[in-house]
Amino acid sequence: QVQLVESGGGLVQPGGSLRLSCAASGSIFSIHLMGWYRQAPGKERELVATITSSGTTNYADSVKDRFTISGDNAKNTVSLQMNTLKPEDTAIYYCNAKLVLRGTLTYDQWGQGTQVTVSS
């Protein structure tokens, strides 16, 4: 019932910027957290950044000073501003939402992924 739709991926030169956006739609009762993960070829999927409904953010050390995550609770959207991009940032980026089902029980909903390529 809940779907995540991502946009904003593409090709950018090293040092450039991109902004990713994700919108949640459907029968949404409560979202505990939304965030971004990424997966490069031959590597495990890793956390990039998350934000809770109260505004608490968390970043991977590799992106902490370059990326900024923001969210809009009213619109159920989350964005990731990526600056000073490096070739190592090349990956498929996935939007994630932790939906509250009951009590502390949550369900992870994932977007389809959007490709980010950093290359000259």
Side-chain angles (χ1 to χ4, degrees):
Q1 287 185 307
V2 177
Q3 293 184 325
L4 303 179
V5 180
E6 300 142 319
S7 62
L11 174 65
V12 65
Q13 293 184 342
S17 299
L18 283 175
R19 184 177 179 86
L20 305 182
S21 296
C22 175
S25 62
S27 300
I28 301 174
F29 287 88
S30 180
I31 299 178
H32 172 66
L33 173 151
M34 293 187 71
W36 293 92
Y37 292 71
R38 67 185 182 186
Q39 186 169 24
K43 296 185 177 181
E44 299 290 333
R45 185 175 298 187
E46 64 177 356
L47 180 147
V48 177
T50 61
I51 184 169
T52 68
S53 59
S54 62
T56 301
T57 58
N58 183 43
Y59 296 91
D61 288 340
S62 60
V63 308
K64 187 174 182 179
D65 296 323
R66 300 183 295 119
F67 293 8
T68 302
I69 189 170
S70 60
D72 188 327
N73 291 334
K75 298 181 179 180
N76 291 318
T77 60
V78 64
S79 297
L80 184 69
Q81 179 66 46
M82 305 185 295
N83 298 325
T84 319
L85 284 162
K86 305 175 181 179
E88 305 91 273
D89 296 318
T90 296
I92 300 175
Y93 284 69
Y94 297 91
C95 180
N96 169 264
K98 290 187 180 296
L99 309 178
V100 179
L101 301 179
R102 186 183 72 252
T104 59
L105 180 63
T106 61
Y107 174 81
D108 284 318
Q109 184 69 41
W110 296 90
Q112 78 284 356
T114 184
Q115 178 70 49
V116 172
T117 302
V118 184
S119 176
S120 60

